[in-house]
Amino acid sequence: MEIKQAKFVISNSDVRKCPEQNLPEYAFIGRSNVGKSSLINRLTNHKGLAKTSGKPGKTQLINHFLINNQWFLVDLPGYGYAQVSKSAKKTFQKFITDYFLKRKQLVLAFVLVDIRHEPQKIDLEFMQWLAENAIAFAIVFTKADKLKPLIIEKHVENYKQILLQWWEEIPTYFITSSTSGLGKEDVLAYIDNVNKILDNNRKK
C-alpha cells in the first residue's frame, strides 16, 4: 500500500465525538516513549503528522488521521509512565478504555513494544486485557535499529514463550524501525489486506 494522503481530522477525549464515517480504524498504542509518533510519521511519510517529543506522555488525546480517504489511523495516548498527574492518568485510562470498548469502527489495535527491553508486565497486562475483551490486536516491536539481529530474535522469543502460556497462537507481530524504515511495508501491507477482506465481506 502506498499512502498518498494523510490528513489530521480531529483530537478529542470523548469517544462519542470521534468521526462518524463508517471507515475501518487502526489504533496505535503503547507505553509512553515507545516511539509511537515516530513510527506513525514513518508509515505515513509525513514527518510532522504525529507530534514527537523527548518528554513521555506527549499524546494526550484520541487523534484521528484519515489515510487515502479510505481508513483512519488512530493515535492513542501511551499507557504507563508519563510525566502527568495521577488525575490526568485516570482520565487517559477512562477514554482509552471507552474507545476500545465502544468504538464500532475499530478493526485492530497495534500494540507497540520497545524491542530493546525484556517483556514488561504493563505491556503483557494490556495485551491480556485486549484479548479478554475480544479486541483484535497485533504486536509492533519498535526501535529494532538499536539492537543486533540475534538479540532481536532472543527478545522476540522471550515474548513468544510468555504469550504461549496464555494462548495457543502468537498474535501477528512486526519488527520495525522508524529510523531505517524496517517493517514499514509489512505493516501497511497487513492493513491493506485486512481492508480488502472487510470490503469483500461488505459486498457479499
Side-chain angles (χ1 to χ4, degrees):
M1 178 202 302
E2 181 183 356
I3 292 184
K4 297 179 179 179
Q5 183 184 44
K7 182 173 66 174
F8 169 75
V9 176
I10 191 171
S11 290
N12 70 83
S13 59
D14 186 343
V15 70
R16 294 172 298 180
K17 296 178 182 178
C18 289
E20 295 180 0
Q21 295 103 307
N22 190 27
L23 294 175
E25 294 186 1
Y26 297 85
F28 284 70
I29 190 168
R31 281 185 297 121
S32 297
N33 216 27
V34 74
K36 177 167 53 68
S37 296
S38 296
L39 182 66
I40 288 172
N41 291 340
R42 185 76 187 203
L43 290 174
T44 59
N45 295 319
H46 284 64
K47 288 184 179 180
L49 192 69
K51 298 295 185 287
T52 59
S53 172
K55 181 180 179 181
K58 179 70 174 177
T59 304
Q60 299 185 7
L61 295 167
I62 302 170
N63 299 298
H64 275 76
F65 301 98
L66 181 60
I67 309 298
N68 292 347
N69 287 317
Q70 295 175 335
W71 55 278
F72 281 107
L73 186 158
V74 184
D75 182 10
L76 294 172
Y79 54 79
Y81 171 77
Q83 291 176 344
V84 294
S85 67
K86 288 183 179 180
S87 61
K89 286 183 184 179
K90 287 182 180 179
T91 301
F92 294 170
Q93 291 166 358
K94 173 70 167 61
F95 67 71
I96 290 171
T97 301
D98 280 352
Y99 174 82
F100 280 114
L101 296 180
K102 298 178 181 179
R103 187 65 173 163
K104 293 180 180 179
Q105 289 92 331
L106 175 66
V107 172
L108 182 89
F110 286 104
V111 181
L112 276 59
V113 174
D114 191 330
I115 192 67
R116 297 175 299 174
H117 306 306
E118 294 294 318
Q120 302 290 303
K121 182 181 178 183
I122 193 167
D123 291 325
L124 297 169
E125 287 178 346
F126 184 68
M127 292 178 204
Q128 185 77 332
W129 181 84
L130 290 174
E132 288 171 356
N133 287 279
I135 298 164
F137 72 93
I139 302 170
V140 178
F141 292 103
T142 63
K143 305 187 181 184
D145 57 290
K146 307 293 185 182
L147 296 178
K148 294 181 179 179
L150 286 177
I151 303 299
I152 290 173
E153 271 185 47
K154 178 186 174 185
H155 286 193
V156 170
E157 190 60 34
N158 288 342
Y159 262 95
K160 287 182 178 180
Q161 293 305 315
I162 292 174
L163 296 177
L164 284 174
Q165 295 174 20
W166 300 341
W167 308 309
E168 292 183 3
E169 294 183 14
I170 301 296
T172 299
Y173 69 88
F174 303 91
I175 296 171
T176 70
S177 165
S178 59
T179 301
S180 69
L182 175 69
K184 171 185 173 179
E185 298 304 325
D186 294 332
V187 172
L188 293 178
Y190 184 74
I191 293 173
D192 191 39
N193 187 54
V194 173
N195 283 340
K196 286 176 180 175
I197 292 171
L198 292 172
D199 194 43
N200 287 336
N201 289 340
R202 280 194 293 267
K203 292 176 181 176
K204 290 182 179 177

